[in-house]
Amino acid sequence: MDKEHLLTTKLIIDGHFHDFQLYSGKFYLWMNQKELNVYDWNKWMKQLVDVDRPIYLEPQPSEQISVTIEELIPFLERTISFSEPIYDCAIFNHILYFSDDNGFYRYSLTKNNAQKERIWDQAVYSISLSAKGRMALSAGESGLFEYLLSSHYLYDQLDRQKAPRIYQLNAHFASQATWNHHDLIQYGKSQSNPTYLTRFNEQKGQLHIVDVLPVTQLSGPLTSQVKEYLLPLSLSPPSMKDGLLFSFETDHQKVKKDSLYRSKTIRLVVKPPAALEQQQNSIDFLVVMADSPFFKVVLQNDVLLEIPHHSIQKFRIYNRTRHYRNQLHVLQNNSLVLYLFTEINR
């Protein structure tokens, strides 16, 4: 695939938010640390298709849409309120896992009268799910832990067990962690530089910690300094004197795209530090370079977008799904920006 056949849809939701999650046709948006809005994602995407707007071809196929919270009201299904401000959250098997100052909890998203259930009395500052269904818990000074989501994985190192189904992986300061297959890349007090790698041996569901090693080599940045283009939203083509930076699809050449912005063959992956990097076996991966001086998304060495790190509070990709692996969601100071990468035909 080349970038001429890859449509980048930039969907901007104006406002100040705490967190976000796309899961099983629902879009979960934390309005603040105590209030969670649940929206019908498919209904919203179907409505977007009916909005008439230009698609720009140069420098690459792109479109941009800005919405307000008020415009999302028709897709709002319910609001869930919490008594204490949360730190972080993750959704697995229709259960919301979250943490506040008093502990780590689970909350069913399918029961109308659901109550939060405390799993552990330790505050967790970052929750990370792997593509293989494992959950890492970063607990600051207390270290890095794993919560066994199901009986599929088991530890026989009982000396590491701190609570039912919770095991300590190491005692090094953990602000957050990211998965590299079955291994964990850990971050310390600085969330921009990895500090430790915890390596595992997994055989038929049995987990063993092999070692915990300092990470000393980081990934190097690309030399390209291409910046993300700002796309104006005009429904009429520019005049000749406006220059040729952007060109439109004409009425005689229509763009065909998926009605729900799905592309199963497009997948975003996060580039690990150089010392841990493994060769990817697909040229269609969109590589997220989160540790480079600029936050980038790269396709076959072409930079599709580049965002200054200081403007990013949090980002998510969805590598555990089939339909949303082509999406990158970025939380910024005044907005939540959803990048939807979709195959197109002309």
Side-chain angles (χ1 to χ4, degrees), residues 261-276:
Y261 290 92
R262 293 175 174 176
S263 288
K264 294 181 180 179
T265 59
I266 297 175
R267 180 178 179 181
L268 284 143
V269 296
V270 176
K271 179 184 175 70
L276 311 173

Side-chain angles (χ1 to χ4, degrees), residues 6-24:
L6 183 68
L7 174 66
T8 301
T9 300
K10 182 180 180 182
L11 183 55
I12 305 169
I13 308 173
D14 297 320
H16 298 274
F17 309 106
H18 174 67
D19 206 346
F20 54 92
Q21 180 88 47
L22 179 57
Y23 181 84
S24 190

Side-chain angles (χ1 to χ4, degrees), residues 66-322:
S66 293
V67 299
T68 63
I69 285 297
E70 289 72 25
E71 292 175 285
L72 295 181
I73 290 177
F75 316 112
L76 179 64
E77 292 189 341
R78 61 172 170 154
T79 297
I80 305 173
S81 298
F82 295 81
S83 58
E84 300 292 333
I86 72 151
Y87 290 131
D88 198 12
C89 65
I91 301 175
F92 180 84
N93 196 24
H94 299 279
I95 294 175
L96 174 71
Y97 293 88
F98 67 96
S99 175
D100 60 27
D101 198 48
N102 298 313
F104 173 59
Y105 303 84
R106 53 179 281 156
Y107 179 94
S108 174
L109 295 170
T110 58
K111 298 179 181 178
N112 293 329
N113 58 347
Q115 300 291 325
K116 69 176 184 179
E117 304 172 39
R118 185 157 68 175
I119 300 172
W120 191 27
D121 58 6
Q122 170 69 50
V124 173
Y125 304 108
S126 178
I127 303 171
S128 177
L129 272 174
S130 81
K132 298 181 180 293
R134 297 177 61 189
M135 178 179 285
L137 308 177
S138 299
E141 296 282 0
S142 298
L144 184 65
F145 300 81
E146 177 169 0
Y147 173 65
L148 297 181
L149 288 167
S150 69
S151 59
H152 182 75
Y153 295 109
L154 295 172
Y155 281 101
D156 61 1
Q157 298 165 293
L158 297 180
D159 57 314
R160 294 180 177 270
Q161 187 169 357
K162 301 302 177 182
R165 298 166 63 180
I166 292 180
Y167 292 80
Q168 183 163 31
L169 307 182
N170 65 66
H172 301 296
F173 188 100
S175 60
Q176 65 179 21
T178 59
W179 290 94
N180 183 35
H181 302 287
H182 268 304
D183 299 335
L184 270 169
I185 304 168
Q186 184 171 335
Y187 292 77
K189 294 186 178 181
S190 171
Q191 295 187 3
S192 60
N193 295 321
T195 54
Y196 289 92
L197 170 67
T198 302
R199 299 195 306 180
F200 296 85
N201 177 26
E202 185 274 332
Q203 291 185 345
K204 297 181 179 180
Q206 282 289 332
L207 298 170
H208 301 273
I209 298 175
V210 177
D211 51 35
V212 181
L213 300 173
V215 175
T216 57
Q217 185 178 1
L218 303 180
S219 57
L222 292 182
T223 57
S224 172
Q225 291 298 314
V226 178
K227 300 294 187 296
E228 179 188 359
Y229 287 93
L230 298 176
L231 302 183
L233 286 181
S234 170
L235 294 181
S236 59
S239 63
M240 291 300 294
K241 62 183 179 181
D242 288 334
L244 298 176
L245 177 59
F246 301 105
S247 63
F248 287 80
E249 289 287 356
T250 66
D251 292 337
H252 303 289
Q253 192 178 33
K254 296 294 184 182
V255 166
K256 297 179 181 179
K257 56 188 177 181
D258 187 271
S259 60
L260 292 176
Y261 290 92
R262 293 175 174 176
S263 288
K264 294 181 180 179
T265 59
I266 297 175
R267 180 178 179 181
L268 284 143
V269 296
V270 176
K271 179 184 175 70
L276 311 173
E277 187 176 2
Q278 298 182 10
Q279 184 67 33
Q280 304 288 0
N281 58 8
S282 173
I283 62 173
D284 290 334
F285 282 169
L286 306 187
V287 180
V288 177
M289 302 182 66
D291 288 332
S292 62
F294 279 84
F295 185 97
K296 300 177 183 179
V297 176
V298 179
L299 172 65
Q300 302 173 26
N301 295 323
D302 285 331
V303 180
L304 300 182
L305 66 90
E306 188 174 65
I307 309 171
H309 263 298
H310 65 80
S311 67
I312 298 177
Q313 296 182 8
K314 189 173 190 175
F315 77 92
R316 287 187 188 272
I317 63 171
Y318 301 94
N319 56 6
R320 299 197 67 257
T321 68
R322 289 184 303 163

